Structures are given as structure tokens and as C-alpha cells.
Amino acid sequence: MRPRERRDSGQSDLFRARLDQIVDMRHPLARLGRVIDWRFLEERFGTVYSDGPGQPPLPTRLMAGLAILKSMHDLSDEALCDRWVENPYFQLFCGEEFFRHALPFDRSSMTRWRQRMGEERLNALVQESLATALRTGAAKPADFTKAVVDTTVQPKAVAHPTDARLMHRARERLVRLAKTLGLDLRQSYARLGKIALIRQQRYAHAKQFKRAGKALRTLRTYLGRVIRDIVRKAKGDAELEAATAQELMLARRVHAGNRNLNRVRGMPRDADLRVFSLHAPEVECIGKGKAHRPYEFGVKVSVATTLTRSKGGQFVTHVAALPGKPYDGHTLAAVIPAIEAQIGATLTRIIADAGYKGHNAPQSHRFKVYTAGQKRGMTDQIRREMRRRSAVEPVIGHLKEDHRMGRNHLAHTIGDAANAVLAAVGYNFRRILAWLSLWLAILWSTLIASTGQNLQPETA
């Protein structure tokens, strides 16, 4: 069933005051709520629903507004729910007419809504943020015809992987699974495994690597015994074999030390089969050459921004998660058409760093891509524009520090993609909100100057 979308009825209540009567409608968030084209979002998000019977889902403006507020103010789902009840501007932004003293939704509804929409439809929020920037004057159409493209790593919310810790956790998960399925193991090694882990960590910290290696071999022995015990107990029972297959596969890879792993049928030949996190096996180890952080554990993300700084700031025109650790230059075949679909215009120039040499851009854009250090085809204007390439770096820094891309807490690969898109949504709307605040301050100061009023307090 389709959601019952909210429309402003204009009606009053004898016992409740309307939100537009108790808040300042010139507030930037109130103005932003009036500028966004909510009907466009209702049309794009409404395609996932059917006209069949059932309980109607929550309104699109409520859920889309919550997603924007969450990423714009760097809030968790729980913190957003608490602030939504306290803040009348948040409720007005989400389409409420009267102040609510209790949540009209459950916190888990936000998780289910994100999973239901997916990356493709969440990109409508990025598209609407760019359209809103045009409507408010924060950007003009010519700003989106030239782009800077770069990649970064979106780290996952996992502990730093070590062989000892992974083996300990793999054994614990297998023991817990066996208890759930009713399998009686010969020994769980709960006490001995914990002691062996503590010893290994202390020996490694003291640089006594021979003793640390001995404790690691003990952990590997405990894990191997539990694996073989579960295999024996589940043998011949199809249901138990299916229930334990996934955990056993991960445990065997950890037990092998992520070395000499056999290729899995159906996966690419060059796929990384190593396991760096048991609760998030999709995590990849990526090295970007940083001295302070040689390896990062997460997923590679492509980020595209405008080449020239608009009036409202540097806007993100496209962002996408790239599982599989592809070479930067080999991502342009998919990224460039996605950028043009997002902005609704043709790119005339793409600036990238030296990591994009040997790119596979579409044939129509092959000579529109310029990389750092390139000599052929360079003009004075392009050389000046190349100096703006590094402008994408602070944008990536803001996405990570202020908009939840620095540590992704959403589960699975769909969570990686959704978190990257929502970070770009929050960043763009944050720029528009700052632009509306600046415009309001300029308008207010102009009004004061024209009326000649003195707002300074009089002294006795």
C-alpha cells in the first residue's frame, strides 16, 4: 500500500497551536523545508510501493526529512529521535502541522526505510539537494558542467583485525551457534581461549614474538578443534549443515590465517577472500599510502564535486561505493554517466589526480579527462583549473568528520552504499542551510541600515 502523504490542511486546533505560529518562519531550516520539492521525492520513493492492501507506510516527507536531518547534523538514529521530539523546527521540516510530544514512528522504521529504498532511490536526495541549490541561488547551472573526481576509503565500524583476535572471535561465534542449534560440543575452550588471547596480546606488546607466536598457535588449535567437532556433529543432517555453512566458511579462512585461500565459485578471479571482520565479512583492506594510516578497513568510495566554488560552497555532485577495490582509473566508465544523470547536464571537463592515468572513460569523454602531471592537450586555462583539483580533499574531510562517512555503522554492502550517499546529502543540505543563514543575515542588516535603527543597548 502506498503511504498517505502529508499536505498542509491550514486548519487550526482549539487546544493546540500550529507550528508555523510558534516558530520563526524565517529560520533557515523552516525556509529549507519550503524550498525542497517534496512531491518529486514522493514520486521517486513511491515507486517501491504497490497499490495492494495492507497498513500504509509512513509518509515520504517524514522519512526523507529524517534522513536529511540525520546526515546533516551527524546524528545516530537514537539521538535523532530524541532531538525530533524536543525540536519544533525538526517537526516542521518533516511536515508536521502541530507540535508532537511523542514519536509518531519507531526508531527501527528508519533502518527498514533505508534498506527498502537502496542506493538507487536514495540518490534522489542528492539530485534534489542540487536542484534546491539552484532554486535558492547557492549555485548556477554552469557550476555543474565541470567536475573533480577522487576516491577515498569509507571505514567500517570494526575493530582493528589481528590474527589472534579473529581466531578468538571465530571460536566464540561457533560455540554460540552450536549452543543455539543444540549441538553438544566436547569442549568450548571459553576459559582457556580467553587466557591464551590475553597471553598473546601481552607477549606481542612486550615484543616477545616467539612466545606470542606460541600463544597464537594455541588459539589456532582451539579453533580447529571446535570446527572439526561441529562438522562431525552436523554431518548427515542437511538442515544443520546449511545452518553452519556460513560460519564454518569464515572460521576456516580465519584458521588458515587468510593465506592460500581457494577461489569461491561465482566470485571474480581476483576477488579478495580474506576475512577482516566476522560480523562484516564485506570489509576490505585498502592501502592509500598514508603514513599515519597505512591500511584502512572498509570500502572504496568515489566522490565528485564541482570544479569551481559556487556561491553556496563546494557541492558534491555524485558519490558511490565501489566494492572490490577497483583501480581508480577503471571507475570512470560508470562514474561519468552517473554524474551526468545526477546533474542533468553533459560534463565538459573532468579533473582527476595521477591515480586515474590509463582511465577507461567513455569514448565521448576520453579527451575531457585531465590528470595531474599530464602534458598533452594542456592549455593555460586548463592548467589554472588543475590547481583547483585539491579542492576535493577538504570536501572529503567534511564528509568524514561531519557527516558520518568517517565510520560507517550501517550493515552489509547496502549499508556501505547508503551511508556514502546520505553523507553527500547531509553535506549538500548543510551548505544550502549555511547559504540561507548568510542570505538572511545580509537581508536583515540591509533592512536595519535602510531604516536607520540602532540595535545597540543604551548605556546610562
Side-chain angles (χ1 to χ4, degrees):
M1 190 172 183
R2 294 183 177 273
R4 297 173 181 172
E5 305 297 356
R6 290 180 173 173
R7 299 290 182 264
D8 189 356
S9 63
Q11 298 179 355
S12 301
D13 193 305
L14 181 62
F15 302 101
R16 296 185 299 172
R18 290 178 56 89
L19 283 173
D20 53 11
Q21 297 176 353
I22 63 176
V23 302
D24 184 6
M25 295 303 292
R26 296 173 301 179
H27 190 277
L29 195 59
R31 295 183 62 193
L32 180 62
R34 296 196 301 269
V35 173
I36 294 176
D37 187 0
W38 298 106
R39 304 244 177 178
F40 167 76
L41 297 178
E42 292 170 3
E43 180 182 351
R44 291 293 297 272
F45 294 144
T47 57
V48 303
Y49 302 107
S50 62
D51 294 324
Q55 182 177 357
L58 293 169
T60 300
R61 177 165 182 177
L62 173 63
M63 303 310 299
L66 289 171
I68 293 172
L69 292 172
K70 169 187 171 66
S71 54
M72 188 164 54
H73 295 286
D74 190 13
L75 300 173
S76 63
D77 290 350
E78 293 81 2
L80 177 62
C81 293
D82 293 339
R83 287 187 59 175
W84 194 90
V85 175
E86 301 168 354
N87 196 323
Y89 289 100
F90 279 20
Q91 298 188 18
L92 180 67
F93 182 77
C94 293
E96 297 290 341
E97 292 187 75
F98 303 94
F99 186 80
R100 284 182 174 268
H101 298 273
L103 285 174
F105 59 92
D106 188 76
R107 183 205 58 80
S108 59
S109 300
M110 301 175 61
T111 301
R112 290 193 292 270
W113 186 82
R114 284 192 300 263
Q115 294 175 345
R116 190 169 195 172
M117 294 304 157
E119 179 186 13
E120 181 181 358
R121 292 178 181 83
L122 288 177
N123 272 313
L125 293 174
V126 181
Q127 192 173 355
E128 179 57 26
S129 68
L130 300 177
T132 304
L134 294 176
R135 285 194 290 268
T136 57
K140 55 183 185 294
D143 296 338
F144 301 127
T145 57
K146 298 179 182 180
V148 183
V149 182
D150 199 3
T151 60
T152 185
V153 179
Q154 177 179 249
K156 196 82 166 183
V158 297
H160 183 80
T162 62
D163 288 343
R165 186 67 179 173
L166 285 174
M167 290 180 187
H168 180 70
R169 289 293 299 154
R171 183 195 54 76
E172 285 185 335
R173 288 169 65 93
L174 286 177
V175 170
R176 185 167 63 245
L177 177 62
K179 185 177 181 180
T180 303
L181 298 176
L183 297 178
D184 187 18
L185 300 179
R186 292 176 61 241
Q187 190 171 353
S188 66
Y189 300 97
R191 183 179 61 86
L192 295 177
K194 185 176 181 180
I195 293 174
L197 176 64
I198 293 174
R199 285 178 178 173
Q200 195 278 338
Q201 292 175 338
R202 288 177 177 176
Y203 288 145
H205 177 71
K207 294 184 173 56
Q208 299 179 11
F209 298 115
K210 193 172 182 179
R211 292 177 174 175
K214 184 177 179 180
L216 180 62
R217 288 192 296 271
T218 301
L219 288 169
R220 181 180 284 111
T221 300
Y222 293 162
L223 175 59
R225 289 176 181 174
V226 173
I227 290 175
R228 291 188 295 272
D229 198 6
I230 291 179
V231 170
R232 285 194 299 267
K233 299 292 176 57
K235 189 175 182 179
D237 192 327
E239 293 185 1
L240 288 178
E241 289 179 351
T244 58
Q246 176 71 12
E247 288 294 336
L248 285 175
M249 181 265 295
L250 296 176
R252 286 191 178 107
R253 293 185 186 180
V254 172
H255 182 264
N258 284 329
R259 298 182 182 91
N260 302 323
L261 302 178
N262 296 325
R263 189 169 67 90
V264 178
R265 182 180 298 176
M267 294 186 67
R269 185 176 297 274
D270 57 347
D272 191 355
L273 302 179
R274 294 175 296 176
V275 177
F276 301 103
S277 175
L278 292 165
H279 78 274
E282 70 275 5
V283 167
E284 299 166 342
C285 179
I286 304 173
K288 297 288 283 186
K290 300 176 182 177
H292 66 287
R293 199 172 297 159
Y295 299 102
E296 296 177 276
F297 300 94
V299 66
K300 182 178 281 191
V301 173
S302 173
V303 179
T305 67
T306 53
L307 177 63
T308 58
R309 188 183 187 278
S310 307
K311 292 181 179 179
Q314 196 94 2
F315 287 96
V316 176
T317 56
H318 177 261
V319 65
L322 305 172
K325 302 187 296 185
Y327 170 64
D328 289 358
H330 294 167
T331 63
L332 292 183
V335 167
I336 291 178
I339 296 175
E340 293 184 338
Q342 199 88 278
I343 63 177
T346 302
L347 289 174
T348 59
R349 192 162 297 154
I350 302 101
I351 305 296
D353 61 11
Y356 284 81
K357 289 182 179 179
H359 57 78
N360 63 345
Q363 194 64 33
S364 58
H365 294 76
R366 188 168 297 276
F367 298 104
K368 298 179 182 179
V369 179
Y370 296 89
T371 60
Q374 180 175 334
K375 303 297 182 184
R376 183 177 299 177
M378 299 292 288
T379 63
D380 292 340
Q381 180 182 359
I382 297 175
R383 288 191 183 92
R384 288 193 296 269
E385 291 178 348
M386 286 295 296
R387 298 171 189 167
R388 290 281 306 166
R389 192 217 63 82
S390 59
V392 70
E393 303 297 343
V395 173
I396 293 175
H398 283 295
L399 289 174
K400 289 189 173 185
E401 294 296 328
D402 303 330
H403 302 286
R404 305 187 71 78
M405 191 188 281
R407 190 168 177 84
N408 177 27
H409 294 268
L410 304 185
H412 311 303
T413 54
I414 188 175
D416 295 336
N419 191 73
V421 172
L422 291 175
V425 171
Y427 174 84
N428 285 346
F429 278 112
R430 190 75 172 267
R431 300 276 68 76
I432 298 172
L433 203 65
W435 167 254
L436 293 176
S437 301
L438 177 63
W439 186 253
L440 181 62
I442 294 175
L443 184 64
W444 183 251
S445 61
T446 304
L447 181 62
I448 293 176
S450 61
T451 56
Q453 295 180 359
N454 183 14
L455 298 183
Q456 295 295 332
E458 297 182 359
T459 56

